[in-house]
Structures are given as structure tokens and as C-alpha cells.
mmCIF file of all heavy atoms in Angstrom:
data_model
loop_
_atom_site.group_PDB
_atom_site.id
_atom_site.type_symbol
_atom_site.label_atom_id
_atom_site.label_comp_id
_atom_site.label_asym_id
_atom_site.label_seq_id
_atom_site.Cartn_x
_atom_site.Cartn_y
_atom_site.Cartn_z
ATOM 1 N N LEU A 959 8.849 -4.728 14.879
ATOM 2 C CA LEU A 959 7.936 -5.728 14.400
ATOM 3 C C LEU A 959 6.472 -5.159 14.583
ATOM 4 O O LEU A 959 5.713 -5.276 13.675
ATOM 5 C CB LEU A 959 8.054 -6.974 15.188
ATOM 6 C CG LEU A 959 7.098 -8.131 14.810
ATOM 7 C CD1 LEU A 959 7.245 -8.523 13.338
ATOM 8 C CD2 LEU A 959 7.338 -9.349 15.696
ATOM 9 N N ASN A 960 6.217 -4.520 15.697
ATOM 10 C CA ASN A 960 4.866 -3.881 15.880
ATOM 11 C C ASN A 960 4.578 -2.869 14.797
ATOM 12 O O ASN A 960 3.459 -2.772 14.335
ATOM 13 C CB ASN A 960 4.751 -3.354 17.236
ATOM 14 C CG ASN A 960 4.735 -4.346 18.346
ATOM 15 O OD1 ASN A 960 4.385 -5.498 18.082
ATOM 16 N ND2 ASN A 960 5.028 -4.030 19.474
ATOM 17 N N ILE A 961 5.502 -2.050 14.511
ATOM 18 C CA ILE A 961 5.320 -0.977 13.550
ATOM 19 C C ILE A 961 5.112 -1.651 12.164
ATOM 20 O O ILE A 961 4.228 -1.217 11.424
ATOM 21 C CB ILE A 961 6.523 0.009 13.500
ATOM 22 C CG1 ILE A 961 6.558 0.734 14.820
ATOM 23 C CG2 ILE A 961 6.493 0.966 12.299
ATOM 24 C CD1 ILE A 961 7.831 1.637 15.009
ATOM 25 N N ALA A 962 5.845 -2.675 11.825
ATOM 26 C CA ALA A 962 5.648 -3.365 10.563
ATOM 27 C C ALA A 962 4.279 -3.932 10.522
ATOM 28 O O ALA A 962 3.575 -3.895 9.465
ATOM 29 C CB ALA A 962 6.701 -4.511 10.429
ATOM 30 N N GLU A 963 3.829 -4.559 11.551
ATOM 31 C CA GLU A 963 2.487 -5.137 11.585
ATOM 32 C C GLU A 963 1.368 -3.992 11.379
ATOM 33 O O GLU A 963 0.364 -4.200 10.667
ATOM 34 C CB GLU A 963 2.148 -5.831 12.995
ATOM 35 C CG GLU A 963 2.970 -7.085 13.070
ATOM 36 C CD GLU A 963 2.870 -7.700 14.436
ATOM 37 O OE1 GLU A 963 2.421 -7.044 15.441
ATOM 38 O OE2 GLU A 963 3.196 -8.925 14.595
ATOM 39 N N ILE A 964 1.569 -2.809 12.023
ATOM 40 C CA ILE A 964 0.680 -1.733 11.818
ATOM 41 C C ILE A 964 0.660 -1.278 10.374
ATOM 42 O O ILE A 964 -0.363 -1.073 9.848
ATOM 43 C CB ILE A 964 1.108 -0.555 12.790
ATOM 44 C CG1 ILE A 964 0.827 -0.979 14.258
ATOM 45 C CG2 ILE A 964 0.349 0.736 12.397
ATOM 46 C CD1 ILE A 964 1.495 0.029 15.216
ATOM 47 N N GLU A 965 1.843 -1.160 9.818
ATOM 48 C CA GLU A 965 1.898 -0.687 8.426
ATOM 49 C C GLU A 965 1.256 -1.706 7.460
ATOM 50 O O GLU A 965 0.613 -1.303 6.464
ATOM 51 C CB GLU A 965 3.387 -0.456 7.980
ATOM 52 C CG GLU A 965 3.937 0.751 8.638
ATOM 53 C CD GLU A 965 3.218 2.052 8.350
ATOM 54 O OE1 GLU A 965 2.813 2.182 7.106
ATOM 55 O OE2 GLU A 965 3.069 2.860 9.206
ATOM 56 N N LEU A 966 1.449 -3.047 7.713
ATOM 57 C CA LEU A 966 0.809 -4.032 6.896
ATOM 58 C C LEU A 966 -0.701 -3.957 7.048
ATOM 59 O O LEU A 966 -1.450 -4.138 6.026
ATOM 60 C CB LEU A 966 1.288 -5.439 7.289
ATOM 61 C CG LEU A 966 2.705 -5.770 6.747
ATOM 62 C CD1 LEU A 966 3.201 -7.085 7.269
ATOM 63 C CD2 LEU A 966 2.733 -5.806 5.229
ATOM 64 N N ALA A 967 -1.212 -3.726 8.235
ATOM 65 C CA ALA A 967 -2.611 -3.561 8.410
ATOM 66 C C ALA A 967 -3.238 -2.339 7.648
ATOM 67 O O ALA A 967 -4.265 -2.407 7.082
ATOM 68 C CB ALA A 967 -2.982 -3.434 9.915
ATOM 69 N N VAL A 968 -2.459 -1.256 7.761
ATOM 70 C CA VAL A 968 -2.936 -0.052 7.013
ATOM 71 C C VAL A 968 -2.898 -0.307 5.470
ATOM 72 O O VAL A 968 -3.878 -0.048 4.811
ATOM 73 C CB VAL A 968 -1.955 1.174 7.325
ATOM 74 C CG1 VAL A 968 -2.234 2.350 6.342
ATOM 75 C CG2 VAL A 968 -2.156 1.627 8.766
ATOM 76 N N LEU A 969 -1.901 -0.962 5.025
ATOM 77 C CA LEU A 969 -1.782 -1.271 3.592
ATOM 78 C C LEU A 969 -2.892 -2.252 3.183
ATOM 79 O O LEU A 969 -3.521 -2.046 2.180
ATOM 80 C CB LEU A 969 -0.448 -1.936 3.296
ATOM 81 C CG LEU A 969 -0.204 -2.324 1.794
ATOM 82 C CD1 LEU A 969 -0.165 -0.997 0.960
ATOM 83 C CD2 LEU A 969 1.130 -3.075 1.674
ATOM 84 N N SER A 970 -3.233 -3.232 4.079
ATOM 85 C CA SER A 970 -4.254 -4.072 3.735
ATOM 86 C C SER A 970 -5.625 -3.389 3.654
ATOM 87 O O SER A 970 -6.468 -3.639 2.732
ATOM 88 C CB SER A 970 -4.318 -5.127 4.876
ATOM 89 O OG SER A 970 -5.412 -6.017 4.646
ATOM 90 N N ASN A 971 -5.838 -2.460 4.538
ATOM 91 C CA ASN A 971 -7.107 -1.622 4.452
ATOM 92 C C ASN A 971 -7.168 -0.782 3.277
ATOM 93 O O ASN A 971 -8.266 -0.422 2.712
ATOM 94 C CB ASN A 971 -7.268 -0.827 5.752
ATOM 95 C CG ASN A 971 -7.584 -1.755 6.950
ATOM 96 O OD1 ASN A 971 -8.109 -2.742 6.797
ATOM 97 N ND2 ASN A 971 -7.223 -1.300 8.070
ATOM 98 N N MET A 972 -6.021 -0.275 2.804
ATOM 99 C CA MET A 972 -6.011 0.703 1.738
ATOM 100 C C MET A 972 -6.175 0.067 0.363
ATOM 101 O O MET A 972 -6.869 0.586 -0.499
ATOM 102 C CB MET A 972 -4.717 1.485 1.835
ATOM 103 C CG MET A 972 -4.586 2.443 2.963
ATOM 104 S SD MET A 972 -3.035 3.230 3.121
ATOM 105 C CE MET A 972 -3.194 4.657 2.015
ATOM 106 N N CYS A 973 -5.453 -1.032 0.151
ATOM 107 C CA CYS A 973 -5.472 -1.639 -1.159
ATOM 108 C C CYS A 973 -5.579 -3.112 -1.305
ATOM 109 O O CYS A 973 -5.848 -3.616 -2.413
ATOM 110 C CB CYS A 973 -4.334 -1.064 -1.957
ATOM 111 S SG CYS A 973 -2.703 -1.770 -1.485
ATOM 112 N N LEU A 974 -5.258 -3.787 -0.241
ATOM 113 C CA LEU A 974 -5.193 -5.300 -0.390
ATOM 114 C C LEU A 974 -6.503 -5.918 -0.081
ATOM 115 O O LEU A 974 -6.616 -7.183 -0.064
ATOM 116 C CB LEU A 974 -4.125 -5.850 0.553
ATOM 117 C CG LEU A 974 -2.679 -5.363 0.251
ATOM 118 C CD1 LEU A 974 -1.731 -5.999 1.175
ATOM 119 C CD2 LEU A 974 -2.372 -5.592 -1.184
ATOM 120 N N SER A 975 -7.591 -5.218 0.135
ATOM 121 C CA SER A 975 -8.881 -5.744 0.408
ATOM 122 C C SER A 975 -9.591 -6.166 -0.889
ATOM 123 O O SER A 975 -10.566 -6.863 -0.845
ATOM 124 C CB SER A 975 -9.697 -4.794 1.143
ATOM 125 O OG SER A 975 -9.909 -3.623 0.440
ATOM 126 N N GLN A 976 -9.000 -5.791 -1.966
ATOM 127 C CA GLN A 976 -9.538 -6.183 -3.256
ATOM 128 C C GLN A 976 -8.715 -7.333 -3.931
ATOM 129 O O GLN A 976 -7.572 -7.551 -3.483
ATOM 130 C CB GLN A 976 -9.617 -4.940 -4.139
ATOM 131 C CG GLN A 976 -8.204 -4.430 -4.502
ATOM 132 C CD GLN A 976 -8.257 -3.143 -5.222
ATOM 133 O OE1 GLN A 976 -9.219 -2.930 -5.965
ATOM 134 N NE2 GLN A 976 -7.222 -2.250 -5.016
ATOM 135 N N ARG A 977 -9.272 -7.935 -4.878
ATOM 136 C CA ARG A 977 -8.471 -9.033 -5.576
ATOM 137 C C ARG A 977 -7.599 -8.330 -6.597
ATOM 138 O O ARG A 977 -7.997 -7.490 -7.373
ATOM 139 C CB ARG A 977 -9.444 -9.948 -6.319
ATOM 140 C CG ARG A 977 -8.784 -11.143 -6.850
ATOM 141 C CD ARG A 977 -9.747 -12.254 -6.817
ATOM 142 N NE ARG A 977 -9.197 -13.430 -7.405
ATOM 143 C CZ ARG A 977 -8.524 -14.331 -6.706
ATOM 144 N NH1 ARG A 977 -8.366 -14.272 -5.452
ATOM 145 N NH2 ARG A 977 -8.029 -15.398 -7.313
ATOM 146 N N ILE A 978 -6.285 -8.685 -6.541
ATOM 147 C CA ILE A 978 -5.313 -8.143 -7.455
ATOM 148 C C ILE A 978 -4.802 -9.242 -8.378
ATOM 149 O O ILE A 978 -4.345 -10.255 -7.939
ATOM 150 C CB ILE A 978 -4.129 -7.536 -6.683
ATOM 151 C CG1 ILE A 978 -4.725 -6.413 -5.750
ATOM 152 C CG2 ILE A 978 -3.038 -6.946 -7.554
ATOM 153 C CD1 ILE A 978 -3.765 -5.740 -4.830
ATOM 154 N N PRO A 979 -4.962 -8.946 -9.676
ATOM 155 C CA PRO A 979 -4.801 -10.081 -10.692
ATOM 156 C C PRO A 979 -3.331 -10.589 -10.905
ATOM 157 O O PRO A 979 -3.103 -11.783 -11.156
ATOM 158 C CB PRO A 979 -5.281 -9.487 -11.996
ATOM 159 C CG PRO A 979 -5.135 -8.047 -11.863
ATOM 160 C CD PRO A 979 -5.348 -7.773 -10.312
ATOM 161 N N ASP A 980 -2.320 -9.704 -10.713
ATOM 162 C CA ASP A 980 -0.962 -10.160 -10.986
ATOM 163 C C ASP A 980 0.049 -9.429 -10.121
ATOM 164 O O ASP A 980 -0.257 -8.455 -9.487
ATOM 165 C CB ASP A 980 -0.667 -10.104 -12.416
ATOM 166 C CG ASP A 980 -0.876 -8.611 -13.031
ATOM 167 O OD1 ASP A 980 -0.406 -7.697 -12.332
ATOM 168 O OD2 ASP A 980 -1.372 -8.541 -14.057
ATOM 169 N N THR A 981 1.287 -9.883 -10.171
ATOM 170 C CA THR A 981 2.351 -9.320 -9.368
ATOM 171 C C THR A 981 2.564 -7.874 -9.752
ATOM 172 O O THR A 981 2.805 -6.998 -8.800
ATOM 173 C CB THR A 981 3.607 -10.114 -9.531
ATOM 174 O OG1 THR A 981 3.380 -11.486 -9.306
ATOM 175 C CG2 THR A 981 4.732 -9.601 -8.644
ATOM 176 N N GLU A 982 2.554 -7.483 -10.964
ATOM 177 C CA GLU A 982 2.871 -6.099 -11.395
ATOM 178 C C GLU A 982 1.755 -5.149 -10.893
ATOM 179 O O GLU A 982 2.078 -4.052 -10.448
ATOM 180 C CB GLU A 982 3.022 -6.019 -12.960
ATOM 181 C CG GLU A 982 3.556 -4.672 -13.414
ATOM 182 C CD GLU A 982 4.813 -4.294 -12.674
ATOM 183 O OE1 GLU A 982 5.741 -5.110 -12.548
ATOM 184 O OE2 GLU A 982 4.992 -3.140 -12.353
ATOM 185 N N SER A 983 0.522 -5.576 -10.994
ATOM 186 C CA SER A 983 -0.628 -4.756 -10.447
ATOM 187 C C SER A 983 -0.414 -4.602 -8.974
ATOM 188 O O SER A 983 -0.703 -3.511 -8.412
ATOM 189 C CB SER A 983 -1.925 -5.466 -10.765
ATOM 190 O OG SER A 983 -2.133 -5.523 -12.198
ATOM 191 N N LEU A 984 -0.028 -5.691 -8.258
ATOM 192 C CA LEU A 984 0.200 -5.580 -6.774
ATOM 193 C C LEU A 984 1.188 -4.570 -6.554
ATOM 194 O O LEU A 984 1.171 -3.723 -5.688
ATOM 195 C CB LEU A 984 0.513 -6.991 -6.262
ATOM 196 C CG LEU A 984 0.989 -6.953 -4.776
ATOM 197 C CD1 LEU A 984 -0.207 -6.573 -3.904
ATOM 198 C CD2 LEU A 984 1.405 -8.353 -4.388
ATOM 199 N N ARG A 985 2.385 -4.609 -7.239
ATOM 200 C CA ARG A 985 3.486 -3.654 -7.070
ATOM 201 C C ARG A 985 3.005 -2.260 -7.212
ATOM 202 O O ARG A 985 3.357 -1.393 -6.397
ATOM 203 C CB ARG A 985 4.554 -4.042 -8.023
ATOM 204 C CG ARG A 985 5.869 -3.327 -7.773
ATOM 205 C CD ARG A 985 7.082 -3.876 -8.576
ATOM 206 N NE ARG A 985 7.454 -5.141 -8.000
ATOM 207 C CZ ARG A 985 7.471 -6.276 -8.720
ATOM 208 N NH1 ARG A 985 7.082 -6.371 -9.937
ATOM 209 N NH2 ARG A 985 7.892 -7.438 -8.125
ATOM 210 N N ARG A 986 2.239 -2.034 -8.313
ATOM 211 C CA ARG A 986 1.783 -0.660 -8.557
ATOM 212 C C ARG A 986 0.828 -0.188 -7.390
ATOM 213 O O ARG A 986 0.895 0.959 -6.988
ATOM 214 C CB ARG A 986 0.997 -0.584 -9.886
ATOM 215 C CG ARG A 986 1.897 -0.494 -11.057
ATOM 216 C CD ARG A 986 1.135 -0.108 -12.409
ATOM 217 N NE ARG A 986 -0.018 -0.947 -12.598
ATOM 218 C CZ ARG A 986 0.014 -2.086 -13.278
ATOM 219 N NH1 ARG A 986 1.022 -2.525 -13.864
ATOM 220 N NH2 ARG A 986 -1.225 -2.792 -13.451
ATOM 221 N N GLU A 987 -0.100 -1.029 -6.997
ATOM 222 C CA GLU A 987 -1.034 -0.623 -5.896
ATOM 223 C C GLU A 987 -0.265 -0.337 -4.598
ATOM 224 O O GLU A 987 -0.628 0.632 -3.961
ATOM 225 C CB GLU A 987 -2.007 -1.830 -5.670
ATOM 226 C CG GLU A 987 -3.046 -2.021 -6.577
ATOM 227 C CD GLU A 987 -4.147 -0.937 -6.504
ATOM 228 O OE1 GLU A 987 -4.358 -0.386 -5.371
ATOM 229 O OE2 GLU A 987 -4.699 -0.612 -7.556
ATOM 230 N N VAL A 988 0.731 -1.127 -4.313
ATOM 231 C CA VAL A 988 1.475 -0.976 -3.011
ATOM 232 C C VAL A 988 2.263 0.338 -3.095
ATOM 233 O O VAL A 988 2.210 1.181 -2.211
ATOM 234 C CB VAL A 988 2.413 -2.149 -2.808
ATOM 235 C CG1 VAL A 988 3.441 -1.823 -1.617
ATOM 236 C CG2 VAL A 988 1.590 -3.373 -2.374
ATOM 237 N N GLU A 989 2.970 0.557 -4.225
ATOM 238 C CA GLU A 989 3.789 1.832 -4.489
ATOM 239 C C GLU A 989 2.843 3.024 -4.317
ATOM 240 O O GLU A 989 3.229 4.041 -3.698
ATOM 241 C CB GLU A 989 4.431 1.770 -5.789
ATOM 242 C CG GLU A 989 5.658 0.882 -5.832
ATOM 243 C CD GLU A 989 6.817 1.386 -4.869
ATOM 244 O OE1 GLU A 989 7.002 2.528 -4.805
ATOM 245 O OE2 GLU A 989 7.390 0.475 -4.293
ATOM 246 N N ALA A 990 1.665 2.936 -4.998
ATOM 247 C CA ALA A 990 0.750 4.090 -5.002
ATOM 248 C C ALA A 990 0.329 4.470 -3.537
ATOM 249 O O ALA A 990 -0.020 5.557 -3.310
ATOM 250 C CB ALA A 990 -0.437 3.804 -5.871
ATOM 251 N N ASN A 991 0.265 3.531 -2.708
ATOM 252 C CA ASN A 991 -0.172 3.688 -1.329
ATOM 253 C C ASN A 991 0.900 3.983 -0.370
ATOM 254 O O ASN A 991 0.740 4.684 0.596
ATOM 255 C CB ASN A 991 -1.066 2.532 -0.844
ATOM 256 C CG ASN A 991 -2.393 2.522 -1.487
ATOM 257 O OD1 ASN A 991 -3.298 3.260 -1.049
ATOM 258 N ND2 ASN A 991 -2.578 1.683 -2.462
ATOM 259 N N ILE A 992 2.013 3.403 -0.638
ATOM 260 C CA ILE A 992 3.222 3.629 0.259
ATOM 261 C C ILE A 992 3.898 4.947 0.099
ATOM 262 O O ILE A 992 4.222 5.560 1.156
ATOM 263 C CB ILE A 992 4.250 2.442 0.090
ATOM 264 C CG1 ILE A 992 3.703 1.164 0.688
ATOM 265 C CG2 ILE A 992 5.565 2.820 0.676
ATOM 266 C CD1 ILE A 992 4.601 0.003 0.539
ATOM 267 N N LEU A 993 4.052 5.466 -1.059
ATOM 268 C CA LEU A 993 4.778 6.705 -1.264
ATOM 269 C C LEU A 993 4.155 7.909 -0.523
ATOM 270 O O LEU A 993 4.831 8.529 0.170
ATOM 271 C CB LEU A 993 4.954 6.961 -2.795
ATOM 272 C CG LEU A 993 5.849 6.014 -3.543
ATOM 273 C CD1 LEU A 993 5.785 6.327 -5.094
ATOM 274 C CD2 LEU A 993 7.250 6.117 -2.978
ATOM 275 N N PRO A 994 2.878 8.094 -0.646
ATOM 276 C CA PRO A 994 2.299 9.221 0.094
ATOM 277 C C PRO A 994 2.342 9.004 1.654
ATOM 278 O O PRO A 994 2.623 10.011 2.410
ATOM 279 C CB PRO A 994 0.823 9.209 -0.353
ATOM 280 C CG PRO A 994 0.711 8.448 -1.577
ATOM 281 C CD PRO A 994 1.866 7.480 -1.565
ATOM 282 N N ARG A 995 2.223 7.779 2.075
ATOM 283 C CA ARG A 995 2.296 7.427 3.507
ATOM 284 C C ARG A 995 3.742 7.697 4.030
ATOM 285 O O ARG A 995 3.809 8.264 5.093
ATOM 286 C CB ARG A 995 1.871 6.043 3.732
ATOM 287 C CG ARG A 995 1.696 5.710 5.168
ATOM 288 C CD ARG A 995 0.718 4.554 5.307
ATOM 289 N NE ARG A 995 0.767 4.154 6.696
ATOM 290 C CZ ARG A 995 0.098 4.748 7.685
ATOM 291 N NH1 ARG A 995 -0.608 5.738 7.373
ATOM 292 N NH2 ARG A 995 0.150 4.300 8.897
ATOM 293 N N ASN A 996 4.711 7.346 3.250
ATOM 294 C CA ASN A 996 6.072 7.584 3.664
ATOM 295 C C ASN A 996 6.424 9.054 3.662
ATOM 296 O O ASN A 996 7.118 9.582 4.573
ATOM 297 C CB ASN A 996 7.085 6.856 2.787
ATOM 298 C CG ASN A 996 7.098 5.374 3.059
ATOM 299 O OD1 ASN A 996 6.645 4.856 4.140
ATOM 300 N ND2 ASN A 996 7.711 4.655 2.120
#
């Protein structure tokens, strides 16, 4: 749970601090940030 919270905080800082218009854009943003991190 702690690791998941850390990862969500990182993701939030990387791409979720901006307004994302739709689900598909959100999915693309998350994928673009998660793949290099993983």
C-alpha cells in the first residue's frame, strides 16, 4: 500500500497536475509516464 501511494504521488507530480479532458487522454498520459518508470 505504501509503495502504491508513492507511485500515485509520483504519477500525480508527473502528469496529473494538469487538467486532462477525457479518459483516453488520461490513459495516454499515464502510459507515457508509467512505461519508462517501470
